[in-house]
Amino acid sequence: MENKSKEWPIWEIFIRSKNGLEHKHVGSLHAADAEMAIENARDVYTRRQEGVSIWAVESIHITASNPENSGELFEPAKDKVYRHPTFYELPIELKHI
Amino acid sequence: MKNNIHDLEEKFQARIDAGEKIEPKDWMPEKYRKTHIRQISQHAHSEIVGMLPEGNWITRAPSLRRKLGLLAKVQDEAGHGLYLYSAAETLGISRDQMFDQLHTGKAKYSSIFNYPTLSWADIGAIGWLVDGAAIINQVMLTRTSFGPYARAMVRICKEESFHQRQGYEIMLGLCRGTEEQKEMAQDALNRFWWPSLMMFGPKDEDSPNTEQSVKWKIKRKTNDELRQEFIDITVPQADFLGLKMPDPDLKWNEERGHYDFGEIDWDEFWQVVKGNGPCNKERLKARTDAWDEGAWVRDAANAYAEKQSLKKQSENNKKIAS
Amino acid sequence: MDNSLYQYLLILGDNSMILGHRLSELCGHGPTLETDIALTNISLDLFGQVRSYFQYAAKIADSEQTEDSIAFLRTERKYRNVLLVEQENVDFAHVIVRQFLFDGFHKLLLEQLMQSKDETISAIAHKSIKESKYHYRFSGDWLKRLGDGTEVSHKKAQDALNKLYPFTNEFFLESDIEKEMSAKGIGPNLNILKETYYSNIHQIIAEANLTLPIEKQRVAKGKLGYHTENLGYILAELQYMQRTYPNMQW
């Protein structure tokens, strides 16, 4: 095809399904600008009353951790059992603690 | 050296065997990536080409209620195409590249959409049979190993639950209607039954990719297994409508616990796959026309966005300067 | 039956139906998937409104009517939509300009109808106003993108505006029915809306870097049932099933 147009950038869409809950990633879409990203997200991702609030972030602005580093990033947390309540031993008859 | 390809592949397979999901930035064999790009984009193309045969009846829908149902359904298909293109984009191919493959005939889509919709009953038959067949495939795919594909499938399956019901309700209305309406329903079933069975792809023995796909948990059942599942579910639904399946060899096999069925016309299947079906040319033309005629619109939005961001920048600069 | 109210509901419903029909022709053919989905959403909103108006009309009709008999079984002269909404899609610029010119009016009309003394109309307007506001935002944003986008898009948008703007005059030509509804407090006095309408849309047209056409109005009597030749073709499709298979349920 002659004269190829530039593709609209990709945006990541986050939706709050109802007040009290956090925004959650639901997927992505293409939009030329921020307003359009919100409008497209409304039409694409909230057709069935899935949301009360939308965040749109252009994908290139997201910094992601590298899976190759997931060992050093996440595994050290594995053996820190003292961060969990079950690490601490208390008599069973004790209530509300 | 721990990172040679063979080790990586073994580790990868071990993850899949353990039921772990693969995410886009994880290491994966090049063939796994390519297979997914091919399969997900084909699936996406099927959704958007699939809008055309049904879209054909939107302006002629027989009642306001039916019109809304059909419009919403065809719109959903655009949404499903979008979710799937997004899933494929995580693997490093752009939507434009995928469209290009579709428009140049390099990429395939489900052959069923190369059949024409000739009566209102066809809209019922498509919802009932084509969506019914698609759902069987898609439910399996919600458990596929590639995370973005599986997630798209979960969303799609949730939304699609109304599609098949919509189709069946149309058929039910026709079958409870006048003689003329019932004939219309039977005719639609006659035309769409065999192409629906073809949707599951060639027989297992002629499907060389199946083994690898099962190993990678892209597919969890073979074409023939899925096809049989569909037939077993659908025959009683046809009975309920009082319609006759267009297959004289179709009968319950007590021993197997499944329906036996006649031979599919694989010549026709391959003809349609190769582009010689009743509507291949028209479907592709509709897509390329929409794309080509939309080019100036997409350009305009880009140009406007650029101007706006320049304007914002210079306003900011002015503020800083003052 | 209150024939004037009945006719008034046709004016309101037919505008939504014929515009909804035009948009539904585009489903599957949009310039991007996202835009395709957005335009279909507008079409769905409009058809939803049609059902509300016609269900109400069927209820107050003397003869046995249903929303579908009202929607599908009138002859061409009995449709009361304004001519703007039956104009052809032509290209995306025409679609957006037509939508924008209608939305700007529709929003103002619905704001007034929320105050209608007729409770059902008021309730329909309360529901529809939210939809209409969004449509106006959508079409206004797109008008700016096209008008202030590329040279090509600017020209297409200007051509569409030149062709379609003169139809807006018809919104404010009050038919006898509209006069009567206004006197009864059921519908608004359209003359009051005129100034606001033009000042609103002129502002956005200017922001879109477009200019007003030299010809600003034309003879248009859609509300009286005198249509352009487009409507006959729309009805041929719209009514196909109901006409070919009379008295059947679908």
Side-chain angles (χ1 to χ4, degrees):
Chain A
M1 225 185 300
E2 79 300 341
N3 189 15
K4 259 223 161 89
S5 326
K6 196 180 80 183
E7 196 169 21
W8 290 348
I10 302 180
W11 299 69
E12 299 299 326
I13 305 303
F14 301 80
I15 306 266
R16 184 200 295 288
S17 58
K18 62 177 186 190
N19 276 2
L21 297 179
E22 66 275 65
H23 286 77
K24 200 173 152 201
H25 185 240
V26 292
S28 60
L29 48 73
H30 289 261
D33 55 53
E35 269 91 49
M36 200 201 280
I38 295 284
E39 287 171 11
N40 288 349
R42 178 255 193 197
D43 286 326
V44 171
Y45 287 107
T46 68
R47 295 200 301 286
R48 290 178 171 79
Q49 305 180 320
E50 290 95 335
V52 296
S53 164
I54 298 170
W55 287 349
V57 184
E58 211 179 320
S59 303
I60 51 162
H61 295 313
I62 289 186
T63 310
S65 61
N66 187 337
E68 272 168 37
N69 303 333
S70 57
E72 67 241 40
L73 284 173
F74 308 116
E75 297 209 357
K78 258 190 193 164
D79 62 354
K80 308 292 191 290
V81 285
Y82 45 80
R83 287 205 174 99
H84 299 276
T86 45
F87 179 74
Y88 302 95
E89 290 174 15
L90 294 178
I92 205 156
E93 53 278 22
L94 202 63
K95 301 271 192 260
H96 304 301
I97 182 161
Chain B
M1 199 53 209
K2 69 176 168 78
N3 271 1
N4 70 47
I5 284 281
H6 185 72
D7 275 1
L8 284 168
E9 274 178 3
E10 262 182 14
K11 266 191 206 152
F12 180 81
Q13 189 60 48
R15 289 184 62 194
I16 299 232
D17 292 342
E20 267 186 58
K21 296 284 182 209
I22 306 302
E23 293 297 339
K25 294 182 102 189
D26 293 349
W27 186 89
M28 61 185 78
E30 206 37 42
K31 195 165 168 231
Y32 181 89
R33 179 188 303 275
K34 284 210 173 113
T35 302
H36 268 92
I37 288 178
R38 198 190 64 231
Q39 188 177 330
I40 301 172
S41 64
Q42 278 182 16
H43 197 161
H45 299 328
S46 300
E47 294 282 354
I48 61 160
V49 176
M51 297 171 75
L52 300 169
E54 288 178 282
N56 184 30
W57 277 88
I58 290 172
T59 54
R60 289 177 292 169
S63 70
L64 291 172
R65 180 171 178 271
R66 291 285 176 224
K67 195 184 287 283
L68 281 165
L70 182 58
L71 252 181
K73 175 176 191 264
V74 179
Q75 183 195 42
D76 269 352
E77 278 152 18
H80 298 169
L82 191 155
Y83 307 155
L84 287 161
Y85 285 124
S86 295
E89 281 174 304
T90 64
L91 289 168
I93 185 169
S94 72
R95 198 196 284 175
D96 277 8
Q97 283 172 313
M98 290 185 267
F99 276 157
D100 203 48
Q101 292 174 349
L102 172 67
H103 298 158
T104 54
K106 265 185 235 150
K108 301 271 178 255
Y109 55 86
S110 184
S111 285
I112 190 89
F113 303 118
N114 292 315
Y115 289 85
T117 48
L118 303 175
S119 78
W120 171 251
D122 290 11
I123 300 307
I126 287 181
W128 170 37
L129 300 173
V130 177
D131 286 79
I135 287 168
I136 287 188
N137 197 33
Q138 290 176 168
V139 166
M140 170 189 77
L141 287 169
T142 58
R143 298 186 297 132
T144 192
S145 62
F146 184 54
Y149 194 22
R151 288 192 289 276
M153 277 300 131
V154 168
R155 182 172 275 274
I156 288 172
C157 283
K158 222 191 271 171
E159 296 188 351
E160 269 202 357
S161 54
F162 98 83
H163 293 183
Q164 198 192 9
R165 291 173 70 100
Q166 182 242 197
Y168 197 79
E169 198 197 74
I170 290 174
M171 294 303 271
L172 203 55
L174 296 174
C175 292
R176 286 176 178 168
T178 64
E179 213 34 55
E180 210 177 359
Q181 284 174 305
K182 197 163 176 185
E183 271 168 30
M184 198 190 274
Q186 181 66 58
D187 177 56
L189 172 60
N190 293 350
R191 282 180 291 112
F192 277 96
W193 174 247
W194 290 105
S196 301
L197 297 187
M198 295 177 196
M199 283 175 70
F200 296 97
K203 282 187 185 173
D204 291 348
E205 67 231 45
D206 302 319
S207 176
N209 295 329
T210 297
E211 199 191 335
Q212 180 67 71
S213 291
V214 170
K215 196 170 157 223
W216 278 337
K217 295 190 183 168
I218 301 174
K219 284 184 88 132
R220 287 166 172 263
K221 290 175 187 166
T222 68
N223 294 354
D224 286 335
E225 285 169 351
L226 292 166
R227 185 163 20 239
Q228 184 71 57
E229 198 178 308
F230 173 69
I231 293 171
D232 291 349
I233 291 174
T234 311
V235 174
Q237 294 170 354
D239 292 343
F240 187 83
L241 292 171
L243 295 178
K244 203 174 164 318
M245 286 295 191
D247 178 0
D249 297 324
L250 186 86
K251 62 171 185 299
W252 180 252
N253 182 329
E254 193 63 51
E255 213 172 289
R256 289 203 310 129
H258 292 293
Y259 283 92
D260 291 337
F261 55 98
E263 183 66 18
I264 291 169
D265 184 349
W266 293 111
D267 273 350
E268 179 175 317
F269 173 77
W270 290 114
Q271 281 292 323
V272 182
V273 169
K274 282 182 192 135
N276 303 323
C279 300
N280 294 57
K281 309 268 180 309
E282 290 81 355
R283 299 293 184 241
L284 212 52
K285 183 175 183 314
R287 285 311 316 162
T288 46
D289 283 355
W291 187 245
D292 293 344
E293 283 159 23
W296 69 268
V297 178
R298 299 189 296 275
D299 289 344
N302 275 331
Y304 178 78
E306 235 162 82
K307 283 186 200 173
Q308 289 299 308
S309 88
L310 284 178
K311 217 187 257 177
K312 228 184 216 168
Q313 259 175 35
S314 79
E315 273 165 23
N316 285 346
N317 290 345
K318 261 185 231 157
K319 261 185 225 159
I320 294 166
S322 63
Chain C
M1 140 174 116
D2 182 344
N3 189 50
S4 303
L5 178 61
Y6 182 82
Q7 295 297 332
Y8 189 56
L9 290 167
L10 297 186
I11 293 181
L12 297 174
D14 285 348
N15 279 338
S16 293
M17 180 163 73
I18 301 302
L19 186 57
H21 179 93
R22 279 297 190 212
L23 292 172
S24 79
E25 291 174 0
L26 297 165
C27 183
H29 307 277
T32 66
L33 281 177
E34 286 83 353
T35 324
D36 204 308
I37 292 170
L39 289 175
T40 306
N41 256 355
I42 298 179
S43 179
L44 282 166
D45 286 344
L46 292 170
F47 275 111
Q49 295 164 10
V50 174
R51 292 193 75 187
S52 305
Y53 287 127
F54 289 175
Q55 281 168 5
Y56 183 34
K59 213 169 93 183
I60 64 166
D62 288 334
S63 55
E64 264 206 24
Q65 295 277 6
T66 63
E67 58 177 48
D68 288 328
S69 69
I70 296 172
F72 298 105
L73 292 176
R74 282 176 283 152
T75 52
E76 190 175 336
R77 291 272 282 100
K78 299 274 161 57
Y79 283 81
R80 303 206 162 272
N81 57 281
V82 294
L83 301 187
L84 174 72
V85 296
E86 66 195 45
Q87 297 311 302
E88 287 174 293
N89 290 331
V90 187
D91 60 17
F92 190 73
H94 280 72
V95 172
I96 290 299
V97 171
R98 184 183 62 203
Q99 192 66 40
F100 169 73
L101 295 174
F102 178 75
D103 293 340
F105 170 73
H106 199 206
K107 182 175 110 37
L108 293 178
L109 176 68
L110 290 169
E111 275 166 5
Q112 295 295 314
L113 289 177
M114 282 161 60
Q115 260 102 118
S116 173
K117 281 191 181 152
D118 184 293
E119 278 177 25
T120 311
I121 290 183
S122 165
I124 297 171
H126 269 93
K127 184 179 165 286
S128 309
I129 184 73
K130 291 171 200 148
E131 296 166 345
S132 176
K133 272 186 185 164
Y134 182 76
H135 302 168
Y136 187 50
R137 167 181 162 165
F138 176 86
S139 57
D141 282 355
W142 265 106
L143 190 76
K144 288 182 234 168
R145 289 191 189 104
L146 299 185
D148 198 16
T150 62
E151 234 172 88
V152 175
S153 71
H154 175 79
K155 181 171 182 317
K156 283 179 191 278
Q158 188 65 57
D159 287 350
L161 189 67
N162 293 349
K163 186 170 144 203
L164 296 172
Y165 184 98
F167 286 103
T168 57
N169 188 46
E170 189 187 359
F171 291 137
F172 308 101
L173 298 175
E174 282 190 326
S175 61
D176 289 344
I177 289 155
E178 285 166 315
K179 277 181 197 148
E180 189 186 331
M181 289 300 112
S182 164
K184 287 182 177 165
I186 293 174
N189 177 344
L190 294 172
N191 290 309
I192 298 176
L193 304 183
K194 192 170 180 175
E195 209 184 300
T196 320
Y197 172 73
Y198 283 112
S199 105
N200 286 351
I201 66 163
H202 288 173
Q203 191 190 333
I204 296 179
I205 289 170
E207 281 175 42
N209 203 16
L210 296 166
T211 50
L212 297 181
I214 297 161
E215 283 170 49
K216 295 208 171 42
Q217 47 182 284
R218 55 179 285 169
V219 176
K221 297 179 183 171
K223 289 192 274 195
L224 304 179
Y226 299 94
H227 291 277
T228 59
E229 289 170 353
N230 292 312
L231 188 68
Y233 293 100
I234 292 177
L235 296 184
E237 280 192 48
L238 190 74
Q239 301 186 339
Y240 167 71
M241 289 296 289
Q242 292 273 345
R243 295 287 185 200
T244 313
Y245 305 96
N247 304 315
M248 293 186 200
Q249 300 297 312
W250 303 96

